[in-house]
């Protein structure tokens, strides 16, 4: 939890850092500083490291036509004006100046792709090679040097001597500046990018031995700080895991190509991080949606995992990253069983503690809603972002329409510190038991204790054949809730502490779902025809409601969610639920559920998580 004293310290440190960066930027923008960046002119780009980030040929065609889509925003422009006009957002500007889009241009089919790439590079050299506030940020320089090096053959193809020497001279100057500023890059993935870019410049440009050493030193230091012992990144974001690994593998391969021994810590980091990436891979080959990650481009995960020398199987429990994974038969379940990341790494984190995603074969069944891809330039974009990060956008329990963690709201604080997640669960515990009959996961968190005095416990069980997935959510009061500051007399508190709560199961848009006539069960059909039946026990109310899915870029997709509602009574409440795969004899030709189905045991056995070590088929 972020207390007032800690938040005050963060504000003071960030304010000082902002003021310092403004002074440094002013000094670096002056001509005398740029005289210090002069040095030997590289002969050429001696190596083109592999770019493991997937390319999209259609995106490349759009760039040829002058249409850039970056950071969820689209801009129509020309190569002559793109670096001189006002850009929509800071994130768009970073994406444009990073040249990370060069891979899409390289994949385009039109013959003009090379001319377009060179024209855009020349435009940047004309307008920004001396200084640009965004373009010369350490992590932006690093990403640009990586992109220019990876696609150097295209940038230098049949280029005239003046353009060629100007490009190489600028790359060397940027690399020298990066060598001085990389340690001051923003914490998190930007600083890792700065270190990797500095090291890449050391192996792709001549006279780069000292930069390579500095880059590798900074990289190993940051990997020690940011890569957890189980291989997960400190942000707990699967997409950052993917991006980091793609860059680390590219650097490793570049070092090998130049016959430079890779540091043991770099190789060890790759070996630890690969199984964690495999951990987050759904049956469709894409990423699970946790803490700001979307599915990622098709083939992105496999492209990186193909470079895994060990090719080890994913483990089941990541204790430092805080995730559980259960796989049986064709069924996969991934659960967020950890506390939010540290505040500096939580600007994209979600309040999804104990949420889970479930896939069967290549199809997703239960999902989280994912991050908003609404353009920041549109109305209510910030509200969309915050809503996508709320607990209600995740497949878990929400108490009284309140999230288990909160996002900084004050605009001035968000500008200074970022929209970081604060006041989330402090205590998150999980226990795993594996037996021949299946896997049991027992987890709990205290995110609702400050507001309601309630702890949330979630127990789930996945059978050995993967056809039976059951859960039990329990809320129990460990102390009386505190009155809100706006209600000091307790006049607005829930009567007798009987808070309402909901258990949500967001469904993937490709899932067809229907509620039985008697309201006792729900049928979910996957695109391949597989059917799953959902039930909930007790006095809880079960219904289908509208939801949205933002697992891929673009507009949100309409989908459905299963909502189980209940309330706290005498300080506690229990909801039991289950998903069970249906056999073909239980489904009609059109995928409807037969009224008289023998797919389930009596109701209590259907939804009860069996005691550890007990026979799941027994009436527990």
């Amino acid at each position: 939890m972020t207390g007032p004293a800690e938040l005050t310290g963060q504000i003071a440190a960030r304010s000082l850092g902002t003021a310092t960066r403004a002074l440094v930027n002013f000094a670096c923008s002056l001509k005398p500083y740029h005289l210090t960046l002069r040095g030997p002119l590289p002969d050429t780009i001696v190596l083109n490291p592999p770019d493991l980030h997937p390319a999209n040929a259609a995106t490349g065609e759009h760039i040829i036509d002058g249409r850039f889509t970056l950071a969820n925003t689209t801009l129509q422009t020309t190569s002559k004006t793109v670096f001189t006009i006002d850009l929509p957002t800071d994130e768009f500007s970073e994406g444009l100046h990073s040249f990370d889009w060069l891979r899409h241009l390289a994949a385009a089919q039109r013959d003009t792709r090379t001319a377009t790439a060179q024209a855009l590079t020349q435009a940047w050299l004309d307008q920004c090679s001396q200084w640009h506030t965004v373009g010369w940020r350490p992590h932006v320089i690093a990403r640009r040097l990586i992109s220019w090096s990876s696609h150097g053959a295209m940038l230098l193809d049949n280029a005239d001597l003046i353009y060629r020497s100007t490009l190489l001279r600028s790359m060397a100057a940027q690399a020298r500046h990066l060598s001085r500023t990389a340690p001051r890059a923003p914490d998190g993935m930007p600083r890792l990018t700065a270190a990797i870019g500095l090291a890449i410049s050391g192996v792709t440009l001549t006279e780069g031995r000292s930069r390579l050493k500095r880059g590798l030193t900074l990289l190993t230091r940051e990997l020690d700080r940011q890569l957890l012992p189980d291989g997960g990144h400190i942000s707990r974001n699967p997409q950052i895991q993917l991006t980091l690994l793609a860059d680390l593998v590219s650097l490793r391969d570049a070092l090998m190509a130049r016959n430079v021994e890779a540091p043991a810590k770099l190789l060890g980091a790759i070996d630890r991080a690969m199984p964690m990436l495999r951990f987050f891979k759904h049956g469709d080959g894409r990423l699970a949606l946790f803490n700001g990650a979307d599915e990622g481009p098709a083939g992105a995960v496999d492209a990186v995992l193909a470079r895994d020398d060990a090719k080890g199987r994913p483990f089941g429990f990541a204790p430092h990253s805080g995730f559980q994974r259960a796989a049986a038969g064709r069924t996969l379940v991934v659960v967020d069983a950890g506390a939010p990341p540290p505040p500096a790494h939580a600007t994209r984190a979600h309040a999804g503690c104990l949420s889970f995603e479930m896939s069967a074969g290549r199809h997703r069944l239960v999902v989280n809603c994912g991050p908003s891809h609404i353009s920041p330039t549109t109305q209510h974009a910030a509200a969309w972002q915050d809503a996508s990060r709320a607990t209600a956008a995740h497949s878990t329990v929400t108490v009284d329409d309140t999230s288990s963690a909160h996002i900084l709201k004050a605009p001035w604080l968000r500008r200074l510190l970022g929209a970081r997640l604060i006041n989330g669960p402090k205590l998150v515990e999980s226990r795993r038991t594996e037996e021949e009959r299946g896997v049991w996961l027992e987890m709990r968190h205290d995110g609702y204790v400050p507001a309601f005095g309630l702890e949330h416990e979630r127990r789930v069980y996945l059978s050995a054949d993967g056809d039976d997935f059951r859960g039990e959510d329990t809320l129990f009061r460990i102390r009386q809730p505190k009155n809100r500051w706006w209600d000091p007399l307790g006049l607005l508190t829930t009567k007798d502490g009987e808070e309402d709560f909901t258990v949500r199961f967001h469904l993937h848009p490709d899932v067809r779902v229907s509620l039985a006539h008697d309201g006792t069960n729900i049928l979910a059909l996957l695109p391949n025809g597989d059917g799953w039946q959902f039930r909930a026990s007790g006095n809880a109310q079960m219904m289908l409601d509208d939801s949205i899915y933002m697992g891929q870029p673009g507009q949100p997709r309409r989908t459905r969610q299963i909502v189980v509602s209940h309330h706290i009574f005498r300080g506690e409440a229990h909801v039991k639920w289950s998903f069970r795969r249906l056999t073909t004899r239980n489904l009609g030709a059109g995928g409807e559920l037969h009224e008289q189905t023998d797919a389930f045991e009596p109701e209590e056995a259907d939804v009860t998580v069996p005691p550890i070590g007990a026979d799941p088929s027994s009436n527990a």
Side-chain angles (χ1 to χ4, degrees):
M1 181 177 291
T2 303
E6 183 181 354
L7 187 61
T8 300
Q10 294 171 8
I11 293 171
R14 184 60 63 92
S15 299
L16 179 61
T18 300
T20 301
R21 278 194 300 274
L23 291 174
V24 171
N25 286 344
F26 175 74
C28 292
S29 67
L30 301 177
K31 188 173 182 179
Y33 174 75
H34 277 266
L35 295 177
T36 69
L37 299 179
R38 292 181 176 180
L41 176 67
D43 299 325
T44 187
I45 300 174
V46 297
L47 178 70
N48 303 130
D51 189 341
L52 299 183
H53 302 279
N56 187 302
T59 302
E61 299 290 339
H62 293 161
I63 294 173
I64 293 175
D65 295 330
R67 186 161 73 252
F68 289 84
T69 300
L70 304 165
N72 303 318
T73 303
T74 299
L75 178 69
Q76 184 72 45
T77 183
T78 67
S79 61
K80 294 182 179 180
T81 62
V82 65
F83 293 107
T84 60
I85 62 176
D86 292 333
L87 298 175
T89 65
D90 191 70
E91 292 78 10
F92 185 100
S93 185
E94 284 197 352
L96 179 68
H97 283 269
S98 74
F99 279 72
D100 197 33
W101 39 265
L102 267 182
R103 65 179 186 274
H104 303 306
L105 201 52
Q109 299 301 309
R110 274 190 265 177
D111 295 337
T112 54
R113 63 182 183 273
T114 298
T116 301
Q118 293 181 0
L120 289 165
T121 304
Q122 182 66 66
W124 190 91
L125 294 171
D126 291 341
Q127 302 296 330
C128 309
S129 61
Q130 294 303 303
W131 182 255
H132 189 279
T133 303
V134 175
W136 281 70
R137 291 173 180 170
H139 57 289
V140 178
I141 288 179
R143 183 61 64 190
R144 183 168 56 247
L145 289 175
I146 293 172
S147 297
W148 282 0
S149 297
S150 295
H151 303 284
M154 179 174 66
L155 295 180
L156 297 177
D157 184 30
N158 292 321
D160 64 72
L161 185 59
I162 295 178
Y163 161 81
R164 178 189 181 93
S165 60
T166 302
L167 173 61
L168 294 173
R169 183 178 294 109
S170 177
M171 291 181 70
Q174 293 176 57
R176 294 182 187 107
H177 178 73
L178 181 61
S179 181
R180 302 170 185 175
T181 60
R184 297 199 299 272
D187 198 4
M189 189 62 205
R191 194 174 299 167
L192 286 168
T193 300
I196 294 170
L198 181 58
I200 287 285
S201 76
V203 294
T204 58
L205 299 174
T206 54
E207 305 295 333
R209 182 175 301 175
S210 63
R211 292 195 304 273
L212 172 61
K213 182 178 179 180
R214 287 175 64 89
L216 292 177
T217 299
L218 177 60
L219 177 60
T220 54
R221 188 184 77 191
E222 288 302 314
L223 288 174
D224 285 341
R225 288 184 59 247
Q226 298 189 40
L227 198 67
L228 302 174
D230 58 20
H233 185 257
I234 195 171
S235 66
R236 307 185 67 241
N237 182 325
Q239 203 155 27
I240 290 180
Q241 186 85 16
L242 172 61
T243 300
L244 173 60
L245 256 177
D247 290 342
L248 291 178
V249 171
S250 292
L251 174 59
R252 179 198 66 184
D253 292 354
L255 293 173
M256 292 175 60
R258 292 295 307 274
N259 294 319
V260 176
E261 183 177 359
K265 287 190 175 182
L266 170 61
L267 299 179
I270 293 173
D271 289 342
R272 295 203 319 275
M274 280 288 188
M276 196 67 212
L277 178 62
R278 204 180 298 273
F279 184 105
F280 290 125
K281 179 183 174 183
H282 265 297
D284 60 5
R286 299 191 180 194
L287 294 172
L289 309 185
F290 294 104
N291 290 310
D294 63 20
E295 294 180 10
V301 176
D302 287 337
V304 175
L305 292 179
R307 305 294 185 106
D308 182 9
D309 295 333
K311 301 190 184 301
R313 297 183 61 185
F315 41 80
F317 180 33
H320 302 91
S321 299
F323 288 94
Q324 292 273 8
R325 185 181 193 273
R330 300 175 64 244
T331 303
L332 170 66
V333 176
V334 183
V335 188
D336 181 344
H345 301 273
T347 55
R348 294 171 60 186
H350 286 207
C353 193
L354 303 196
S355 66
F356 76 91
E357 291 203 321
M358 175 183 181
S359 59
R362 298 187 60 83
H363 301 286
R364 300 185 187 217
L365 177 56
V366 180
V367 296
N368 294 319
C369 290
S372 172
H373 293 284
I374 300 295
S375 171
T377 61
T378 61
Q379 191 177 18
H380 307 308
W384 272 96
Q385 287 282 0
D386 290 355
S388 71
R389 299 171 66 187
T391 301
H394 298 77
S395 294
T396 188
V397 168
T398 306
V399 177
D400 201 24
D401 291 325
T402 303
S403 288
S404 60
H406 305 283
I407 305 169
L408 279 180
K409 292 295 185 183
W412 71 275
L413 277 177
R414 292 173 78 124
R415 286 193 297 271
L416 188 64
L417 300 176
R420 58 180 58 180
L421 202 68
I422 59 172
N423 296 342
K426 296 176 62 178
L427 175 67
V428 185
E429 297 180 340
S430 67
R431 186 162 69 98
R432 179 188 188 91
T433 303
E434 298 186 29
E435 296 184 356
E436 291 184 5
R437 298 183 180 92
V439 178
W440 286 259
L441 305 178
E442 299 177 274
M443 303 156 288
R444 68 187 180 105
H445 78 81
D446 65 352
Y448 290 117
V449 169
F452 305 103
L454 295 169
E455 280 197 351
H456 172 209
E457 179 183 273
R458 168 164 275 184
R459 301 173 61 238
V460 298
Y461 160 77
L462 179 65
S463 64
D465 58 8
D467 292 344
D468 185 6
F469 180 54
R470 312 182 201 179
E472 178 180 357
D473 286 296
T474 303
L475 289 164
F476 51 93
R477 200 179 306 282
I478 62 172
R479 65 169 172 77
Q480 290 302 310
K482 295 181 180 179
N483 292 336
R484 312 299 207 287
W485 64 268
W486 64 85
D487 182 28
L489 300 180
L491 300 178
L492 302 180
T493 55
T494 308
K495 182 180 178 181
D496 298 327
E498 295 183 3
E499 296 89 352
D500 293 329
F501 70 92
T502 53
V503 189
R504 287 183 169 86
F505 305 88
H506 296 275
L507 304 175
H508 190 272
D510 293 339
V511 177
R512 294 165 47 205
V513 62
S514 60
L515 181 66
H517 295 301
D518 59 4
T520 61
N521 62 77
I522 290 174
L523 173 65
L525 287 176
L526 301 180
N528 63 356
D530 283 356
W532 288 78
Q533 192 175 35
F534 175 87
R535 278 185 171 179
S537 72
N539 298 322
Q541 295 182 337
M542 182 172 63
M543 62 177 288
L544 287 173
D545 200 357
D546 292 331
S547 182
I548 55 173
Y549 184 70
M550 297 174 285
Q552 297 177 346
Q555 292 297 312
R557 296 176 63 187
R558 292 182 180 273
T559 186
R560 303 284 278 170
Q561 60 174 314
I562 300 171
V563 180
V564 180
S565 303
H566 205 7
H567 64 274
I568 307 296
F569 180 66
R570 294 182 178 176
E572 64 178 293
H574 304 267
V575 171
K576 300 175 183 179
W577 46 266
S578 70
F579 287 89
R580 183 171 289 187
R581 189 194 302 270
L582 298 176
T583 61
T584 55
R585 69 175 183 273
N586 303 131
L587 296 174
E592 73 279 3
L593 178 67
H594 289 314
E595 290 296 329
Q596 301 297 325
T597 175
D598 59 353
F600 283 86
E601 302 293 333
E603 181 178 341
E604 186 65 20
D606 294 342
V607 295
T608 299
V609 177
I612 296 173
D615 184 353
S617 64
S618 66
N619 193 343

